[in-house]
Amino acid sequence: MGIMIKKPEHVAGSAAPAILIGLFVAFGGVLFGYDTGTIGGILAMPYWRRTFSTGYLNTEDGLADVSPSQSSTIVSLLSAGTFFGALAAAPMADLLGRRIGMVVSTGVFTLGVILQTAATAIPLFVAGRFWAGFGVGLISAIIPLYQSETAPKWIRGAVVGCYQLAITIGLLIAAIVDNSTKDRNDTGSYRIPIAVQFAWAIIMVVGMLILPETPRYYIKVGKNAKAAKSLSRLRRLDIDHPALVEELAEIQANHQYELSLGKSSYIDCFKGTVGKRLATGCLLQSLQQLTGVNFIFYYGTSFFKNSGIQNGFTISIITGVINVVSTIPGLYLVEKWGRRPLLLFGAIGMFVCQYIVAIAGTVDPDNKATNQVLIAFVCIYIFFFASSWGPVAWVVTGELFPLKSRAKCLSMTTASNWLLNWAIAYSTPYMVNDGPGNANLQSKVFFVWGGFCLICCFFVWALIYETKGLSLEQVDELYSKCTKAWKSKAFRPTVSYAEVQEVRGSVGGRHASLADFEADAGRKRSVAQVEGGGMVGGQNGYGGEKAAYEV
């Protein structure tokens, strides 16, 4: 096996349009990353602290500041907004479409940015945080949905993973902008970092007005002609090209088969294999947050200062650079190693790093060498996260679900991510800081994150199926046939949903199993090959091979 990721020789057309479109859509991750990353630096800015303080004095430096409870509210309100935004993404994406849904989502996000920019007191600032979060929640659920439904299967993981790369770039830009304005003694210190987000919103809206809707959405709403045009644009093939006709027929047949098994209501998302997949997706996104990565990016600046590392802003920029650079090998490895091995690799590495940080910070917290060890292993931890759980969580959840319930399920898995994001953002100050009512864990909080990383190892082994190289329709077949996640690597797809759709009524209709449909389709194909081989072979020389292709 070569080291390069190449388009399979038998795949017709060009993957370039779909890849470029997927990469542009990933730009929405910059909104996500920048907005979540900028708040940590803003909370540490002297001018912002004086402006928004309601009389509380920071016990560390004696200066005016917001209280720990106010800090928790400000940081966590974005996550609360994202939770509700993610849940609202499903009806929006199904009603308006994936493309227009992203345009509307960006508009909601812009409203939040306006409120934060105009704020000079906590209430308006918090309201802005909520609406910006609501917009980010909408975007964070729809982007992987759009990418998964447009990207070719052989590189889908890398394309969807670029969403996480964009998030890390947003976090890095936030750290740089915060560092550039932190010493200003006017409202520009916090308004400039917030207002920069208008640029991201404009780029996103203009691009989405040009890009196509996904063919799978058009199939879902019964607009087959538009689906063909969309897929033709994505694959750079004529509408009547055999490869495009075959791919479109398979998508349509799979959707009809899934609809034959039951409805696509929210209650149905919790039943059968879809319910199993939903549980897997929600747990995966929750555990991604429980690894503790956002502790570093939400409160990293303040934490490093409290640990005796005075230039916390510089450390945040360093960690941001590592986060971006480390995501790049993950985009390669997700297609070369696969989803399961990369997630296991990351979980083990994060577990080791977290416990080293926790032990070093607990045994001798005031030693300069200890602080250097703490920084070093936090950076190594970021490498393991960014190259594995960062991008792969979005990749896996984008692949798990059938078309009929994909938007609903993906919105719930994304909401799980944001729910834990909110819980961690809200509880962290109480866990880490000293003072009445606080746990004062300091570096010991890494024992908590490390414990969850160990749980991640067992979770991946038991519940994550290997979906590398499978189409979204073949993932449905995988879950229908393979009952154990650790056996999924040996799975090979054999079902043609287009053939199954032809014979569905002859083996008991909607109550027959996929295996029954497949067996009957195979018998029909064999008969057609025998009959067609004799007739066609004598007339044009193609024999049974052509007959088999035509069935």
Side-chain angles (χ1 to χ4, degrees):
M1 176 168 49
I3 63 171
M4 299 299 293
I5 300 174
K6 296 180 180 179
K7 186 182 80 168
E9 293 182 2
H10 66 276
V11 175
S14 172
I19 293 173
L20 292 174
I21 288 170
L23 293 179
F24 176 82
V25 171
F27 180 83
V30 173
L31 278 71
F32 175 170
Y34 186 92
D35 199 50
T36 55
T38 194
I39 190 62
I42 289 174
L43 289 176
M45 293 178 180
Y47 186 87
W48 186 91
R49 289 168 58 185
R50 292 196 304 271
T51 302
F52 286 82
S53 175
T54 56
Y56 176 81
L57 295 179
N58 192 304
T59 57
E60 295 292 329
D61 56 19
L63 300 178
D65 203 348
V66 294
S67 67
S69 62
Q70 291 170 330
S71 174
S72 293
T73 301
I74 291 168
V75 173
S76 62
L77 249 291
L78 178 100
S79 300
T82 53
F83 172 76
F84 292 107
L87 291 178
M92 177 180 288
D94 282 342
L95 180 65
L96 301 179
R98 285 49 163 150
R99 184 175 69 94
I100 298 301
M102 280 189 278
V103 173
V104 174
S105 302
T106 307
V108 175
F109 171 79
T110 303
L111 170 63
V113 173
I114 292 171
L115 295 178
Q116 289 179 82
T117 305
T120 55
I122 289 176
L124 187 60
F125 194 82
V126 165
R129 292 283 294 170
F130 177 83
W131 286 110
F134 196 89
V136 169
L138 291 168
I139 292 168
S140 65
I142 298 176
I143 286 177
L145 177 63
Y146 185 98
Q147 291 175 307
S148 295
E149 291 188 347
T150 54
K153 65 182 181 180
W154 59 272
I155 200 170
R156 185 179 61 241
V159 171
V160 178
C162 283
Y163 176 52
Q164 176 66 21
L165 178 63
I167 294 172
T168 65
I169 292 172
L171 288 165
L172 175 59
I173 296 173
I176 293 172
V177 175
D178 281 350
N179 192 50
S180 302
T181 65
K182 70 180 188 298
D183 295 324
R184 291 178 63 110
N185 196 32
D186 56 26
T187 57
S189 61
Y190 68 91
R191 281 178 170 163
I192 291 173
I194 294 171
V196 164
Q197 296 171 104
F198 288 119
W200 317 143
I202 291 170
I203 293 171
M204 192 70 185
V205 169
V206 171
M208 292 313 304
L209 291 175
I210 299 171
L211 299 184
E213 181 56 84
T214 76
R216 285 177 170 89
Y217 171 73
Y218 280 136
I219 290 292
K220 179 178 174 63
V221 296
K223 298 180 179 179
N224 296 346
K226 288 187 175 182
K229 290 180 180 179
S230 175
L231 192 61
S232 172
R233 184 175 173 184
L234 291 168
R235 301 291 184 262
R236 201 176 286 174
L237 291 169
D238 292 335
I239 290 179
D240 57 355
H241 191 283
L244 188 141
V245 172
E246 181 182 358
E247 182 176 357
L248 202 63
E250 190 70 2
I251 295 170
Q252 188 173 4
N254 172 261
H255 181 53
Q256 292 299 321
Y257 172 75
E258 289 294 335
L259 287 177
S260 74
L261 301 180
K263 299 178 181 178
S264 59
S265 66
Y266 276 98
I267 293 177
D268 290 297
C269 293
F270 294 88
K271 298 178 180 178
T273 64
V274 178
K276 178 180 178 179
R277 290 183 251 182
L278 179 59
T280 299
C282 289
L283 286 170
L284 177 63
Q285 290 283 16
S286 299
L287 286 169
Q288 188 207 50
Q289 289 298 312
L290 289 168
T291 60
V293 66
N294 277 325
F295 166 76
I296 295 167
F297 293 108
Y298 281 158
Y299 296 104
T301 301
S302 302
F303 175 76
F304 285 126
K305 283 184 176 180
N306 293 341
S307 299
I309 305 164
Q310 292 306 311
N311 202 339
F313 277 101
T314 301
I315 298 297
S316 293
I317 292 175
I318 292 172
T319 56
V321 170
I322 294 170
N323 197 23
V324 172
V325 174
S326 300
T327 303
I328 296 172
L331 303 181
Y332 171 79
L333 293 173
V334 73
E335 296 296 353
K336 279 298 179 181
W337 281 7
R339 284 58 163 159
R340 275 175 62 86
L342 188 53
L343 286 172
L344 277 171
F345 164 78
I348 294 169
M350 288 188 295
F351 166 73
V352 173
C353 291
Q354 298 276 28
Y355 267 73
I356 290 175
V357 170
I359 293 169
T362 301
V363 172
D364 194 6
D366 299 321
N367 187 290
K368 182 179 180 180
T370 300
N371 286 332
Q372 292 173 343
V373 169
L374 187 149
I375 294 173
F377 277 93
V378 163
C379 292
I380 296 171
Y381 158 79
I382 292 173
F383 162 77
F384 280 110
F385 175 86
S387 62
S388 59
W389 280 74
V392 180
W394 298 106
V395 171
V396 172
T397 53
E399 297 172 335
L400 281 177
F401 308 108
L403 178 58
K404 68 175 183 178
S405 57
R406 185 171 296 139
K408 294 183 181 68
C409 292
L410 194 53
S411 75
M412 286 187 277
T413 61
T414 307
S416 301
N417 182 295
W418 287 116
L419 179 63
L420 269 295
N421 189 304
W422 168 81
I424 291 168
Y426 186 81
S427 62
T428 292
Y430 299 105
M431 295 170 66
V432 175
N433 295 339
D434 59 3
N438 296 329
N440 193 26
L441 291 177
Q442 297 295 329
S443 295
K444 289 189 287 290
V445 74
F446 286 94
F447 282 118
V448 178
W449 311 138
F452 280 112
C453 289
L454 184 61
I455 293 173
C456 288
C457 298
F458 294 102
F459 166 76
V460 171
W461 178 82
L463 288 174
I464 296 297
Y465 282 65
E466 184 54 69
T467 52
K468 178 172 76 80
L470 300 179
S471 70
L472 298 182
E473 289 68 41
Q474 288 167 344
V475 172
D476 291 336
E477 182 187 350
L478 167 66
Y479 273 89
S480 296
K481 292 182 175 180
C482 186
T483 59
K484 302 290 190 297
W486 54 90
K487 296 181 179 179
S488 60
K489 189 174 181 179
F491 169 79
R492 297 294 180 270
T494 57
V495 168
S496 166
Y497 281 99
E499 293 179 350
V500 165
Q501 188 66 14
E502 289 184 29
V503 301
R504 184 163 53 89
S506 65
V507 290
R510 69 174 64 238
H511 299 294
S513 68
L514 182 61
D516 292 332
F517 288 134
E518 182 182 10
D520 200 62
R523 287 190 292 270
K524 182 177 179 180
R525 182 170 59 247
S526 298
V527 171
Q529 285 177 341
V530 171
E531 294 177 350
M535 179 178 65
V536 177
Q539 293 179 356
N540 60 20
Y542 283 99
E545 183 178 351
K546 186 175 190 306
Y549 175 79
E550 291 178 333
V551 170

